[in-house]
Amino acid sequence: MNAVTTAVQGAGLGLRRALLGPLADQSPGAIGFLEATPENWMNIGGRYGRAFREYTERFAFVTHGLSLSIGSPEPVDENFVRRLKAFLDLHGIADYTEHLTYCSDHGHLYDLMPIPFTEEAVDYVAARVRRVQDILERRIALENASYYAAPGQQMSEVDFIRAVLERADCDLLLDVNNIYVNSINHRYDPAQFLDSLPAERVRYIHVAGHYDEAEDLRVDTHGADVIDPVWSLLERAYARLGPVPTLLERDFNIPPLAELMLEIDHINSLQARHAPPLRVANG
């Protein structure tokens, strides 16, 4: 089953300020697209603002937000959403994604907090997503998030995700590393979880590294290389979905670009392995 259509393709890389210089001579090719966090660029002018504009003119872009707080007890910050729309329109960026979490309650919590897996929360979040989509005039995608506690849980994680996506009529940003991390922390089969997600709603994929805190505890850090079990999950996703656009996340301990490109190249090779065969026209 095919995933939804997105404006990008291939293997992508998260744009961080530390990469502005190293990426200056990189042409679109091996790197098919870049991902930006809107909050980090919306109000930036001067040298960094000009550099960002140069990148959006050279590369295809997606955006992945941090502060929408879609499950927050507080009302949706509609002024922020309108500023976000202006930013996306200015740079011609179609794809906006966020976390299926919340991060504010009478102030910013500076972490991604788990939404209770309940029917009431499904309806609450779905209504907020529909409002955001109306303002943005874009269909958004929500990421299956890592979490370390499940307060008030009344339904499974996968049922909660499916219900929110269906009632909001939005898409899924599929994070395969988060599936692996959660599978260790909450003791479930990651392949079965992946297969239970709605393939028809996948916009694009995130892949990243994490930290082994203990034998039964993984922490989603985006600060290390991707490990083999996560690569295997990614390939399983391609086997089901085809070569969906995939973003390599690296937020700290950022190695030289040449090392990141090894992982980008691995994504490209996995995608090529699962690309549909070319059709040869009859003469």
Side-chain angles (χ1 to χ4, degrees), residues 129 133 139-142 164-172 201 203:
V129 172
Q133 292 185 143
R139 185 183 178 100
I140 72 171
L142 295 176
V164 169
L165 300 181
E166 290 168 6
R167 292 183 208 176
D169 194 19
C170 67
D171 295 328
L172 174 65
R201 292 188 182 272
R203 180 82 62 88

Side-chain angles (χ1 to χ4, degrees), residues 263-275:
E263 292 188 301
I264 292 290
D265 290 343
H266 190 57
I267 295 171
N268 282 320
S269 67
L270 292 178
Q271 290 178 332
R273 190 181 303 170
H274 292 276

Side-chain angles (χ1 to χ4, degrees), residues 233-277:
L233 271 183
L234 179 61
E235 185 158 20
R236 186 181 185 95
Y238 290 158
R240 182 183 180 206
L241 304 171
V244 175
T246 300
L247 189 286
L248 175 67
E249 290 187 289
R250 192 66 178 255
D251 290 339
F252 74 101
N253 291 333
I254 299 176
L257 181 59
E259 293 183 26
L260 290 176
M261 291 303 299
L262 295 177
E263 292 188 301
I264 292 290
D265 290 343
H266 190 57
I267 295 171
N268 282 320
S269 67
L270 292 178
Q271 290 178 332
R273 190 181 303 170
H274 292 276

Side-chain angles (χ1 to χ4, degrees), residues 12-15 23 31-36 55 59-63 247:
L13 183 63
L15 180 64
L23 282 170
I31 298 177
F33 64 101
L34 297 176
E35 181 189 76
Y55 277 103
F59 287 88
F61 261 79
V62 295
T63 53
L247 189 286

Side-chain angles (χ1 to χ4, degrees), residues 47 49-59 61 91:
R47 176 167 61 93
R50 290 191 298 273
F52 182 75
R53 182 68 185 186
E54 290 173 1
Y55 277 103
T56 61
E57 290 174 348
R58 289 172 49 208
F59 287 88
F61 261 79
H91 292 285

Side-chain angles (χ1 to χ4, degrees), residues 3-283:
V4 297
T5 301
T6 184
V8 298
Q9 59 184 353
L13 183 63
L15 180 64
R16 306 292 180 260
R17 289 193 185 184
L19 293 174
L20 286 176
L23 282 170
D25 297 325
Q26 184 77 36
S27 298
I31 298 177
F33 64 101
L34 297 176
E35 181 189 76
T37 300
E39 294 88 339
N40 291 340
W41 301 99
M42 285 167 60
N43 301 310
I44 298 298
R47 176 167 61 93
Y48 284 121
R50 290 191 298 273
F52 182 75
R53 182 68 185 186
E54 290 173 1
Y55 277 103
T56 61
E57 290 174 348
R58 289 172 49 208
F59 287 88
F61 261 79
V62 295
T63 53
H64 185 50
L66 289 173
S67 60
L68 181 62
S69 200
I70 201 64
S72 173
E74 295 183 320
V76 172
D77 185 347
E78 295 190 0
N79 288 330
F80 164 75
V81 179
R82 291 186 179 92
R83 295 196 306 273
L84 172 63
K85 175 178 167 32
F87 171 81
L88 297 174
D89 290 347
L90 174 65
H91 292 285
I93 300 173
D95 291 300
Y96 172 68
T97 69
E98 250 285 1
H99 304 82
L100 185 51
T101 59
Y102 72 100
C103 60
S104 62
D105 183 14
H106 301 290
H108 207 290
L109 301 174
Y110 298 99
D111 206 346
L112 300 174
M113 308 299 292
I115 301 169
F117 300 152
T118 67
E119 286 287 343
E120 181 182 10
V122 169
D123 288 336
Y124 179 76
V125 171
R128 290 162 67 90
V129 172
R130 291 194 299 268
R131 178 58 182 157
V132 170
Q133 292 185 143
D134 286 345
I135 297 172
L136 289 180
E137 298 181 314
R138 287 168 171 80
R139 185 183 178 100
I140 72 171
L142 295 176
E143 180 184 79
N144 57 293
S146 57
Y147 64 102
Y148 306 94
Q153 182 171 359
Q154 297 175 7
M155 56 198 302
S156 71
E157 178 191 355
V158 73
D159 286 346
F160 177 75
I161 293 170
R162 292 182 66 96
V164 169
L165 300 181
E166 290 168 6
R167 292 183 208 176
D169 194 19
C170 67
D171 295 328
L172 174 65
L173 169 55
L174 174 59
D175 192 309
V176 293
N177 181 64
N178 286 350
I179 292 176
Y180 178 78
V181 165
N182 290 345
S183 76
I184 299 296
N185 297 342
H186 303 288
R187 297 175 179 81
Y188 62 66
D189 185 300
Q192 184 179 43
F193 186 97
L194 174 64
D195 293 346
S196 298
L197 290 170
E200 71 279 5
R201 292 188 182 272
V202 176
R203 180 82 62 88
Y204 65 98
I205 295 175
H206 272 178
V207 65
H210 58 266
Y211 178 69
D212 292 358
E213 180 72 30
E215 183 177 345
D216 58 351
L217 177 61
R218 303 294 187 270
V219 181
D220 180 36
T221 61
H222 307 166
D225 294 345
V226 181
I227 66 170
D228 287 343
V230 176
W231 286 126
S232 295
L233 271 183
L234 179 61
E235 185 158 20
R236 186 181 185 95
Y238 290 158
R240 182 183 180 206
L241 304 171
V244 175
T246 300
L247 189 286
L248 175 67
E249 290 187 289
R250 192 66 178 255
D251 290 339
F252 74 101
N253 291 333
I254 299 176
L257 181 59
E259 293 183 26
L260 290 176
M261 291 303 299
L262 295 177
E263 292 188 301
I264 292 290
D265 290 343
H266 190 57
I267 295 171
N268 282 320
S269 67
L270 292 178
Q271 290 178 332
R273 190 181 303 170
H274 292 276
L278 293 175
R279 294 184 178 180
V280 179
N282 293 326

